[in-house]
Amino acid sequence: MRNLTLIPTVAITAIALASPLGAAQKNGAIAQDFKLTDANGKTVQLSQFRGKNVVLEWHNPGCPFVQKHYESGNMQATQAAARKRGAIWLTINSGAKGKQGHMTGPEVKTLLKDQGSKPTHYLLDMKGVVGKAYAAKTTPHMYIINKSGKLVYQGGIDDKPTANKAHIAGARNHVAAALNELNSGKKVSVASSRPYGCSVKYAS
């Protein structure tokens, strides 16, 4: 990979490095590196978290499927459990300006406070560069990257593809299960599943 310190310090919203846009990431391969700006205006790069498990969560606060997991507290609980075990949680918003779910940094901070959500960083991808690089299709769409930087899970948060909060109790939380297996030194038993939710609201 090229030396990232040579990139000029200009106003960069998103940079995806390593593979063509739209190429689906493959389990077992090194996850594509990227840079995004968080809600506080700080530049965050995926590779800076090498050595830790990383969860990527595609987010749209206006999506009923996302609301299912946040209004019930399921997503916040999954975030908290992951972070308690040392994982990094990156929530990514690829909603284009003028489309459902798009938010500014101040709006993000208000939402996080109101919902009690505590990702490590909430990242803004309004041009959809990173979302398209990961072929993120829905909100939520979940990915897990292990400590070696390899993608080990991608798909839905659980096995109940509905917007009904009542279905959470009987669901298998794929993200929580995969992180538990990684922390126990085991192979992720369910490495992929069908993502479900609202379509990501890309610019085009």
Side-chain angles (χ1 to χ4, degrees), residues 59-145:
H59 182 259
N60 168 359
C63 173
F65 294 88
V66 171
Q67 291 167 359
K68 162 190 173 181
H69 291 289
Y70 276 93
E71 291 177 0
S72 65
N74 184 53
M75 191 67 78
Q76 297 94 318
T78 306
Q79 290 172 345
R83 294 192 61 185
K84 185 176 181 180
R85 298 293 296 273
I88 299 297
W89 191 290
L90 303 178
T91 300
I92 301 175
N93 188 323
S94 295
K97 187 175 182 180
K99 295 196 175 185
Q100 184 196 59
H102 172 79
M103 289 193 295
T104 63
E107 289 171 336
V108 168
K109 290 189 279 188
T110 296
L111 181 70
L112 296 181
K113 182 178 179 180
D114 290 345
Q115 292 187 332
S117 177
K118 296 182 179 179
T120 309
H121 295 280
Y122 191 108
L123 305 177
L124 303 174
D125 179 38
M126 68 179 68
K127 292 185 178 179
V129 174
V130 175
K132 291 178 181 179
Y134 273 77
K137 296 178 175 63
T138 63
T139 51
H141 195 155
M142 312 297 298
Y143 299 78
I144 299 176
I145 299 159

Side-chain angles (χ1 to χ4, degrees), residues 1-5 7 12-26 29-37 43-51 54 56 58 90 92 123 125 128-135 143 145-146 148-151:
M1 186 183 300
R2 58 198 172 101
N3 187 342
L4 297 174
T5 60
I7 298 176
I12 300 174
T13 300
I15 299 176
L17 307 160
S19 68
L21 297 184
Q25 305 293 294
K26 295 182 179 180
I30 295 295
Q32 181 170 338
D33 199 11
F34 61 79
K35 282 184 178 183
L36 284 172
T37 301
T43 298
V44 175
Q45 184 166 357
L46 176 64
S47 57
Q48 76 186 70
F49 303 115
R50 187 65 62 86
V54 179
L56 307 182
W58 259 264
L90 303 178
I92 301 175
L123 305 177
D125 179 38
V129 174
V130 175
K132 291 178 181 179
Y134 273 77
Y143 299 78
I145 299 159
N146 70 12
S148 299
K150 294 181 179 179
L151 185 65

